[in-house]
Each structure stands twice: as structure tokens, then as C-alpha cells.
Amino acid sequence: MGSVTIKDIAKALNLSTSTVSRALRDSYEISTETKNLVVNYAKEVNYHPNPIALSLKENKSWSIGVIVPEIANNFFSNLINGIDEIAHERNYHVTIYQSKELLEREKDAIIHAFARKYDGLIISLADYTDDLGYIKDLQDNGYNIVFCDRVPDSFECHKVVASNFKGAFEATEHLIKNGRKKIAHITSARNLSTSKERLNGYLAALEKHGIPKNDDLIIYCASDSETAFKVIKDMMLSQNPDAFFTASDRLALHCYAAINELNLKVPDDIAFIGFTNLKEAYLLSPPLTTVIQPALEMGRTAGDLLINLIENKKKITGFQNIELATTLQIRESSS
Amino acid sequence: MGSVTIKDIAKALNLSTSTVSRALRDSYEISTETKNLVVNYAKEVNYHPNPIALSLKENKSWSIGVIVPEIANNFFSNLINGIDEIAHERNYHVTIYQSKELLEREKDAIIHAFARKYDGLIISLADYTDDLGYIKDLQDNGYNIVFCDRVPDSFECHKVVASNFKGAFEATEHLIKNGRKKIAHITSARNLSTSKERLNGYLAALEKHGIPKNDDLIIYCASDSETAFKVIKDMMLSQNPDAFFTASDRLALHCYAAINELNLKVPDDIAFIGFTNLKEAYLLSPPLTTVIQPALEMGRTAGDLLINLIENKKKITGFQNIELATTLQIRESSS
DNA sequence: ATTATTTATGCAAACGATTTCGGGATCGTT
DNA sequence: AACGATCCCGAAATCGTTTGCATAAATAAT
């Protein structure tokens, strides 16, 4: 509870706090004798400098914040793992916030991180985030922010993303080449950068192969998971597509569940590709073909970029815009 | 960047910092006129009090730390969700640490949390944690710690756990009642409280039904995932059990993979029960029977307990020891 | 022997906020 | 008119640390 302070040491050793402080930081102005005295005593009483006092003084916390919609999601937890690895290597601590897809919580988190003097922030935006003005203000004020995965498109910023367009394009084309003609696309909230790009990739593949766009085959399922399952099932019944391309972990599971419930056979009745990082994709029945995002690597990249920005404000000019390749992992669900 | 401070407001309004502070905290000593003046101006310039300064003064951070072995794990991320919900309700922030099953990182995290004046800590211990002395010291010093899931057994402390013994007992008995005679148990590191209790539950069920213990059917697979798969496969080949009871999410997946690779049929060749919180358990083929831990509720309980301890040091006497019921979710893998 | 220089240390301000104490107005009561 | 009460407000200490400046003692240079 009552930790030892520099003042306690000073009193015990009959020195001033300044001397103690300098001795501990190995300043040249302190005699070796005194230094040893102080250092040994500090070790003995298990002294640790109070990081809060340091933060107050230095206006720096050696911590970065990470805001994701949801932790219990393979993609995001791997992303966090990547960030965490780098942060740990470079002596930073990570504080994780969950927005739960709620603007209110996202904003709270950002304000908290800023107020707490976190040295920077990595953000993956919530579903319906529209008012990004206050984030831009922060950024314009010199606060270090790196966006990751779900990024804003209304202003310039540092971004680390997966090749969503290309990934979606390849997945769709793979389905087409396997003879599928009526490919449904289940995606997340329409304003998300990831949704848009994946949709565009999907559409581009259709167009390339002369398949007309069919709006009935595209549905947006935002964060409300309860209705997602129902909506997907309804659309299967009404439209009877011969393939599915889903845009997230969450949606892939809902689709699988819907398919199960309707007793459809994959891939005979319907082919299936997810845009997921599910650890269990290969154990599903049949094993799920999926566009894999390099979540860990994205996290590492974003973490590295952010810390470079923090330590290095001068050298990096212009906004970084890093895209990492996805890979199409073909399994049985799409053949 | 340069946030507005109370000093800035005082200067701008020609008041003292004390007056500004009091006005913002709605003190009775300040005239409504002045209050309005200050409050409006503060809003206008977007003033937020510096939580670091507050922490320094109050020796309180309104934050709690959570240490788990791994975030990318359904059980732990749900646990965290529970903690997060309660913390949010009660105006605390949560900082998550991953120990990665490493003592070194666990210790770092604890020291960091303590130094940062986090108001308390929820810990789920790493694999091989043996030296718990320094944690006990902290606890004896009055630092608030609640252990959750993986708890120490060498000293008294606040605990929130699942009914591991009972859950394992019921699962094993269920297998026995379905005619299985040679039931293997795959579990985690032997020193973990959860491993011990689940093993005991398994053994108790065997004993009750007159099945002798067979050490060849029990294997410990600690955090090293790469060998786990191989070890499990070897044991299947050499021992040819007719059922599996695994003690964690991670191990359940390795087992499923091993079964797949050996082309065994579940449940005809081998029955299977996991002790898991896999979201996808019902989509595996066949759907996985599992002992479900109330992860979210455990998190909420631990969070609540911790915050009660923090705010309320007097009233709670003695160490709390809370056990929450597991439920056996029967699906096709065990019939 | 006197002055200059080095060596080792202490004092005090600063970071941003709260809070104890005290004091100057203003008002009412007698 | 005098006294007490009430109402507003400011000065200063405090939390733990760092750091510019001052100072004392010891040594070196003249």
C-alpha cells in the first residue's frame, strides 16, 4: 500500500530529495559513495518510482491505447496481440478499450486516453461512427493516432489495413470459377471502410465475369447479432443463392448456423467463403474456405508505426497508408 | 496536445485556481454567478480535469487491472467482458494485461499495476506460477486482489471460480452412462487449480462407477501448443480410448484436429466432451458436448467483488470464495 | 595567501488538481 | 453603532518526481 517514495529515502539517509533523485538516475554530479548508498538503500526498501508523478511531470505515460469494437473476436484479439508484442518490445504498455460498436463508448475511450496522456492511440472504428470531427481535431492538434482495419475515409490519417478489395475480389472470382452464378454477399454496416472495400471487390469480380449486380443478394448486417441470423435465413429462402461470401467472423458463424438449420449441404447446395480469422475454420464441417487477414502482422505494423510517430515526430512526413496482403485459404466449403 | 488546465481558466477569468476548482465541483461556497461563468467557459474551451494529477493527489486511479494468460481465448475474453461491464457501470476503467503464461510478464504486470496505483487487480494465474510470495505480500499490505478461475491454493485470498470438480464429474459420469469405459483425460499444467479440480472430478466419477484409474489415459499438455497436438495423437494411437474429456478450449481444438487427422468418427469411434466456452462448439462436426463455464458471470462477479473491496474496505470481512455453477451442454459428440 | 575551479549537495519551482485555513465584504440584529 | 453571521474568494500546502540555480567545501592555479 504505502509505497516508498524518494522523500522517505532522503529522510532516512539524511539527504535531499534532489540528491536521491540524481543518484538514482546515475547523475555525474553525485559522488560514487553517495550513489552506492542511495542505490543500495533503494533496493533494500524496494523502491519503485511513481509513474504517475512522472507522467504528470513529463507529460508522457509510456502507454498507448487501443480501441476495438470487441475483444471476444478472433480478428481483434489477434490484432491486439500484435500490438502488444511490439509495445512490449519497445517498453510501452497497452490499454485496451472496447467500444462495443457504440459511439458513446468510443468517444469516452478517446477522451480518457487523451486525458490520461497516453502517448498515442490505435483505433478500429465502431459501426456507425459518423462524427469523426473530434478525432480529426485531436489529430490536427498533434496527438498520435493510427487507424487500423476500420479506418475513416473523410480525412487523411495514418492507416494500416488489409487488402480488402483484393481479398474480396479473389474470393468472389474463386466462386465464379467454380461455377457459381448467384453469389450472395453478407456484409457489415455500410459505412465501414472494410464493408465498402469488400463490397467493391465483390462487385468488381462479378462485373469482370459479366454477372449483373443483384441488390437482393446483398445484405447489410450491422452489430445486432440477433437479427443477423434471421435476416440471413430469410434471404436464403427467398433468393436461393448458390454461394455465400461473408465479410466477417461473426457473419460467417451466423451463416453457417443458418445453413445448418435449413439442412443445406455445403458445398453441394451452397458454397461458402468467409472473410475471417476463425481459429476453428478448418474444423467446421466442411472446412471453411476463408480470406485470412494478417491480423497479428497488422497489429505489429500499427504498433510500430505508432511508436515511431511518438518517438520521432520529425522524421515521418505525410500520412502512412499501409496495406497488408490477405490470403485466400481454400478449403472444401467453396469447391 | 496542450490541454486546458484549471490555471488557464483562472487566468482567463481573473479568478484563483481554487475558485475555479470549487466552481467546477459545484461547491456551496461559490456564487451561482461565478459558477456559471466558470462552467460555461470550461465547456467552451473543452476543459477536462487531468486524471493523472488527480491520481497523484488522491492516490486513486479509478482503474483496475486484469491479468489473464491470453486474450485470444474465448473463455478469457468473455471473462474480461464481464469485468468490463461492471467496471463501466461503476465508473472504473479496466487495463488488461496478458501474461502469455510467463511468470516474468505476470510479475511485471502486477508491479506495473501497483505502481500505477490501480485500485485493484483481478488475476487469473499463468501456467507455472509457483512463486506467489510477492503477490501475497501485496495482499497482506492491503492491496485489493481478486483471483479468478486459476487461483492460488497456497494462501487465503478472494476467489471466483467455476464448479470445476462438479463440472468434470458430471461430464465424466455422462460418458460412463453412455457406455464408455476407457475415458482419456487431457488437461493443462498440473499445478493449475483448475487442472487439479477437473482431474479430481474425473477421477471421482470413475471411482464411483468402479472404473480403475489408468495413468496412461491422463496427459498434461501445458501451454506449448505445438507439442500438444502430437502428444494427443500419440496417446490415441497407443491407448485407443473410447472417449475424451478435455479440460480447456485450446485442448479441445487440438483433440478435434487429431481426431480428424486419424479419420476417427465422433461419436462412433470416440466420444468427446470439452470443458470449453467455444462460441463455435455447436457448429463443429458433430456438435461438441461441453461443460460451459459462466465466463461472463464470473467476470461480473469478480469485478463487483473487487470494486466492493475497493470502496468499502471495512464491511467485507474474511476472504470471499465464490463458486459459480457450470452447465453440461449435451450435444452429439458424446452420445 | 588569494583567487579560480571543481565537486557535491541542497533549495525551490514546476507538473495539475484539491483542500484547509483564513480574510474581506455584506447583511442583519440588537 | 457594534457585533456576529453569512457569503465569496485567495494563498498555500500537498501528492512524487525532476531540474535549474545557488552554495558550501575542497582542490587547483596564480
Side-chain angles (χ1 to χ4, degrees), chain A residues 105-146:
Chain A
R105 290 198 56 169
E106 185 172 88
K107 194 164 186 176
D108 272 0
I110 293 175
I111 290 176
H112 184 263
F114 181 68
R116 275 259 159 207
K117 310 291 175 197
Y118 287 160
D119 303 330
L121 213 39
I122 296 177
I123 306 179
S124 193
L125 292 169
D127 257 16
Y128 286 120
T129 305
D130 47 358
D131 171 26
L132 260 35
Y134 71 102
I135 304 187
K136 180 162 172 15
D137 286 349
L138 232 47
Q139 181 179 283
D140 290 346
N141 259 314
Y143 195 52
N144 293 309
I145 304 180
V146 171

Side-chain angles (χ1 to χ4, degrees), chain A residues 18-30:
Chain A
S18 12
T19 304
V20 174
S21 170
R22 276 186 271 247
L24 291 170
R25 328 204 105 241
D26 201 23
S27 157
Y28 70 99
E29 323 179 70
I30 304 295

Side-chain angles (χ1 to χ4, degrees), chain B residues 107-245:
Chain B
K107 194 165 187 174
D108 272 1
I110 293 175
I111 291 176
H112 184 264
F114 181 68
R116 275 256 160 209
K117 310 290 176 198
Y118 286 161
D119 303 329
L121 213 40
I122 296 176
I123 307 181
S124 193
L125 293 169
D127 256 16
Y128 287 119
T129 304
D130 47 358
D131 172 25
L132 260 36
Y134 71 102
I135 303 187
K136 181 163 171 15
D137 286 350
L138 232 47
Q139 182 179 282
D140 291 346
N141 261 315
Y143 195 51
N144 293 308
I145 304 180
V146 170
F147 292 88
C148 197
D149 188 50
R150 300 172 171 196
V151 302
D153 47 16
S154 55
F155 59 90
E156 287 233 275
C157 54
H158 298 287
K159 301 176 190 175
V160 175
V161 296
S163 57
N164 291 302
F165 178 91
K166 189 151 167 287
F169 183 90
E170 288 172 358
T172 311
E173 192 166 48
H174 169 71
L175 288 170
I176 296 172
K177 286 185 173 165
N178 279 354
R180 307 293 167 164
K181 304 233 171 326
K182 199 166 181 187
I183 303 169
H185 180 46
I186 318 292
T187 185
S188 308
R190 24 165 61 83
N191 60 314
L192 286 181
S193 59
T194 47
S195 301
K196 291 181 196 169
E197 291 169 20
R198 290 170 198 173
L199 174 63
N200 287 337
Y202 158 83
L203 292 175
L206 293 187
E207 191 176 350
K208 174 178 173 191
H209 293 274
I211 302 178
K213 174 183 177 191
N214 178 351
D215 281 333
D216 293 333
L217 289 176
I218 300 169
I219 50 179
Y220 295 90
C221 294
S223 41
D224 178 9
S225 286
E226 289 151 29
T227 65
F229 170 72
K230 187 176 173 317
V231 172
I232 293 170
K233 212 175 62 177
D234 287 351
M235 137 33 137
M236 285 206 234
L237 288 171
S238 61
Q239 298 297 323
N240 191 32
D242 61 8
F244 260 113
F245 169 47

Side-chain angles (χ1 to χ4, degrees), chain B residues 4-17 20 47:
Chain B
V4 186
T5 75
I6 232 174
K7 231 183 257 181
D8 300 328
I9 300 183
K11 201 170 295 171
L13 263 41
N14 238 326
L15 291 168
S16 76
T17 58
V20 174
Y47 167 78

